[in-house]
Amino acid sequence: MFRGNIDRLVEPPLRLAGFVCAAILLLILLFLIKEAAPVLTGGGWRLFFADSGWYPMEGLFGILPMLVASLVVMLGAIMIAAPIGLGCAIFLQYYAPPVLAKAFRLLLSLLAGMPSVVLGLWGLTVLVPIIGSWQPPGTSLLAATIVLALMVIPTMALASASALSSVPGSLMNGAAALGLTLRARICYIAITSAGAGIRSAALLSMARAIGETMVVLMVAGNVVQYPSGLFEPVRVLTANIALEMAYATDLHRASLFASGLLLTLIVLALAWLAARSNESSKQYG
Amino acid sequence: MADRLFSSAVWLSAALVAAALLWIVGDLARLGLSHISLEFIFSAPENAGRSGGIGPILVSTLLIIGVTLAVALPLGLMVAVWLAEFTRRGNRLSNQIRLALDVMAGIPSIVFGLFGNAFFSIYLGMGFSILSGGLTLAVMILPVFIRTCEIGLTAVDNSWRQGAEALGMTRTSAVWHILLPAAAPAISAGLILGIGRATAETAALIFTSGYVDRMPESLLDSGRALAVHIYDLSMNVTGGDPAAHASALVLIALIILFNLLAQGFSDRWLYRRLAT
């Protein structure tokens, strides 16, 4: 007789919790925009992109060198991580015997769970001296790219493996019946058929790479300049925020928030493209 | 020929990743293990962390994660239950909340740090504190936790719901007694993901919970998280590397320990209720 009454009592608080979550997102955006407002209003954002460089003490807030560095490090990392990650996915899906596949999956999730600060520490104390003994100082674009690639390989591998696993078995069997070798089946059937899912995996990895702070902060050397060589130190946007937030005031602080906002937009655009690519892959499933 | 080249490339890429992980773990163990002792774990840092231990830092880390879980766990479960059990599929409102969560999941951690600093530390006046850092991390892990729990709840077979309905159970008691326990593996997976991210997080904590490495006296004190300690030792303290490596090993051990605890939590607490 009282059935449902308690549901009516319970539902509103649950719904409220849902609203709180949505409100938190609005709050985040609101505070980012509010803190960045001094730069965003009055055309200050144009200086943001036009200034000759980043000299906060003199009121020059040109972020272009760091934006370019962020993009270059991201592209470098994905150029290493995409082929290796895809190779790992193919290994998991078609080459590894079941026991080995299970172990390798565990290994990938271990690497994925490795705290980025620990990867950064390893990069700084092991990789950087190796690069430095060859091309000093060692903290460089190359070091950042390599450690970042290591960080996103699990994302790339696991997401690509799940895309490959959704390739219809009938396609692969049909190709085998036609006498195609395993390599031909993988290259021409599986990768083509899972193309959208693999693209989505690469975009997700890129989003992770450009949003990452600690690894790049610790091994990239943090000199504000346009990347001009693999062995040159660079500073990326995320690292800049982490380095200068502690003492930034006024316009300086506002421009750090504005660069955070810009970073968020880039990551969201990449994530949106990844989701769209994944969506289109499901139409053929 | 091409076939052979291709399969060697595939095996090589897998071997490369395995070798890289072994290299990293091996180096950490080689450089850090000799520095670890019971005294290191329990005593206070001295000389900017070069000597002494990580006692107060471990306490701060645990307090930060405690705050994070105290907020994210109940709030996240409530939202997941609401999305999965109290709204119809295709409901516009719930879809918008899902979209908001997906957007939030994409925000870089350093930006959560900016938000936490502006909102919790300054606007709400919490300053650099464990509370501020814990709340920032709670906001950060909510989306992943909610979506994992929701997917777990949705995946519970409909016959369980119909059975509960047929017995005249209210939706609330069906959720409490049947659906949540049945979704326990997914909840613990979400919990593991969330705790793992929170424990490993550095960027969002640098300017919310701060750097102070004294033993915290209340949640409003600044407290240095273990990940921040590793960062500080390796970047700002010359000669801090052995302690940094030892701290990194402790951090990894801590994450593994939390994984086991979350697993046990789901197995014992939720599953036993289903069995009896």
Side-chain angles (χ1 to χ4, degrees):
Chain A
M1 186 164 43
F2 297 109
R3 201 180 150 217
N5 275 3
I6 184 147
D7 288 347
R8 243 169 278 157
L9 271 177
V10 166
E11 200 264 355
L14 295 186
R15 190 196 317 201
L16 183 70
F19 281 125
V20 167
C21 281
I24 290 174
L25 175 68
L26 292 181
L27 208 62
I28 293 174
L29 296 177
L30 190 81
F31 264 83
L32 284 181
I33 293 170
K34 177 178 142 311
E35 297 281 334
V39 174
L40 298 176
T41 54
W45 62 273
R46 245 179 288 139
L47 292 176
F48 209 49
F49 287 105
D51 270 350
S52 47
W54 177 265
Y55 302 104
M57 294 302 149
E58 285 135 57
L60 292 175
F61 301 108
I63 58 158
L64 268 183
M66 290 181 283
L67 184 59
V68 172
S70 275
L71 294 173
V72 168
V73 171
M74 173 188 82
L75 288 176
I78 196 68
M79 271 160 57
I80 300 175
I84 296 182
L86 188 57
C88 292
I90 293 171
F91 176 75
L92 268 180
Q93 218 53 41
Y94 302 109
Y95 280 86
V99 182
L100 201 55
K102 209 171 166 204
F104 192 64
R105 211 171 259 280
L106 184 72
L107 188 144
L108 282 176
S109 49
L110 267 178
L111 189 57
M114 188 72 74
S116 60
V117 70
V118 174
L119 280 180
L121 174 69
W122 175 80
L124 185 64
T125 54
V126 178
L127 192 65
V128 164
I130 293 176
I131 296 177
S133 67
W134 173 33
Q135 290 277 350
T139 47
S140 57
L141 183 65
L142 181 67
T145 309
I146 293 175
V147 187
L148 207 51
L150 273 178
M151 200 190 90
V152 299
I153 280 175
T155 311
M156 181 70 203
L158 292 171
S160 306
S162 93
L164 286 175
S165 74
S166 63
V167 173
S170 57
L171 273 184
M172 295 299 277
N173 291 339
L178 287 173
L180 267 69
T181 60
L182 181 58
R183 174 190 66 89
R185 269 178 282 158
I186 292 169
C187 291
Y188 302 118
I189 312 289
I191 292 184
T192 321
S193 161
I198 292 170
R199 219 166 20 248
S200 156
L203 285 163
L204 270 184
S205 309
M206 284 161 77
R208 267 201 81 188
I210 202 170
E212 171 56 28
T213 309
M214 297 321 292
V215 161
V216 194
L217 172 62
M218 289 166 84
V219 303
N222 300 323
V223 178
V224 185
Q225 58 179 358
Y226 283 102
S228 57
L230 275 179
F231 302 103
E232 295 296 315
V234 291
R235 184 190 288 195
V236 300
L237 279 179
T238 48
N240 186 50
I241 299 175
L243 284 169
E244 299 191 351
M245 231 341 245
Y247 59 88
T249 51
D250 303 331
L251 215 51
H252 185 189
R253 183 179 156 90
S255 62
L256 291 181
F257 273 85
S259 57
L261 204 56
L262 178 69
L263 211 58
T264 308
L265 291 180
I266 296 174
V267 172
L268 288 182
L270 287 169
W272 179 74
L273 285 175
R276 228 182 55 149
S277 182
N278 224 3
E279 212 52 47
S280 72
S281 77
K282 277 182 193 135
Q283 286 169 1
Y284 303 103
Chain B
M1 183 61 203
D3 287 328
R4 208 179 266 169
L5 216 66
F6 183 76
S7 68
S8 355
V10 167
W11 278 89
L12 186 70
S13 58
L16 215 62
V17 174
L21 183 72
L22 286 181
W23 189 15
I24 295 171
V25 173
D27 274 340
L28 288 175
R30 179 172 59 86
L31 296 167
L33 221 47
S34 58
H35 204 80
I36 288 188
S37 61
L38 272 184
E39 204 202 327
F40 176 75
I41 290 172
F42 291 112
S43 65
E46 283 158 32
N47 195 6
R50 286 184 196 89
S51 49
I54 51 170
I57 290 152
L58 271 180
V59 172
S60 299
T61 309
L62 294 177
L63 286 176
I64 291 171
I65 290 167
V67 171
T68 303
L69 286 186
V71 175
L73 196 60
L75 189 62
L77 274 180
M78 281 168 84
V79 180
V81 166
W82 185 69
L83 285 174
E85 304 299 330
F86 284 84
T87 59
R88 281 176 217 284
R89 201 143 304 183
N91 176 311
R92 249 189 76 204
L93 190 68
S94 55
N95 276 346
Q96 279 164 355
I97 289 181
R98 279 194 194 92
L99 178 69
L101 289 172
D102 286 348
V103 170
M104 241 159 94
I107 296 177
S109 61
I110 184 91
V111 176
F112 278 108
L114 285 177
F115 165 72
N117 178 271
F119 184 66
F120 295 121
S121 295
I122 294 175
Y123 187 76
L124 294 184
M126 296 175 190
F128 284 90
S129 64
I130 287 168
L131 192 61
S132 169
L135 290 174
T136 307
L137 290 188
V139 171
M140 194 182 88
I141 67 168
L142 258 181
V144 183
F145 180 60
I146 292 175
R147 290 314 294 267
T148 323
C149 293
E150 190 208 339
I151 290 167
L153 281 168
T154 319
V156 175
D157 199 272
N158 246 338
S159 60
W160 296 62
R161 289 184 190 88
Q162 287 154 359
E165 194 109 355
L167 289 171
M169 285 171 91
T170 60
R171 185 157 292 190
T172 309
S173 63
V175 165
W176 186 249
H177 293 291
I178 296 172
L179 299 174
L180 277 181
I187 294 172
S188 88
L191 205 60
I192 288 172
L193 272 175
I195 297 179
R197 275 194 70 186
T199 316
E201 187 49 51
T202 319
L205 290 178
I206 296 175
F207 24 85
T208 51
S209 62
Y211 273 101
V212 176
D213 60 2
R214 278 193 310 274
M215 185 63 87
E217 276 162 17
S218 80
L219 291 182
L220 286 172
D221 274 358
S222 169
R224 179 192 286 206
L226 196 52
V228 176
H229 188 56
I230 296 170
Y231 163 65
D232 192 56
L233 280 177
S234 66
M235 291 289 281
N236 305 332
V237 180
T238 40
D241 282 351
H245 284 110
S247 306
L249 286 177
V250 174
L251 182 61
I252 293 173
L254 202 60
I255 291 176
I256 293 174
L257 180 73
F258 283 146
N259 277 8
L260 295 177
L261 282 178
Q263 199 70 50
F265 164 78
S266 106
D267 288 356
R268 289 269 172 75
W269 186 70
L270 288 167
Y271 211 77
R272 183 178 288 169
R273 290 220 331 256
L274 192 65
T276 50

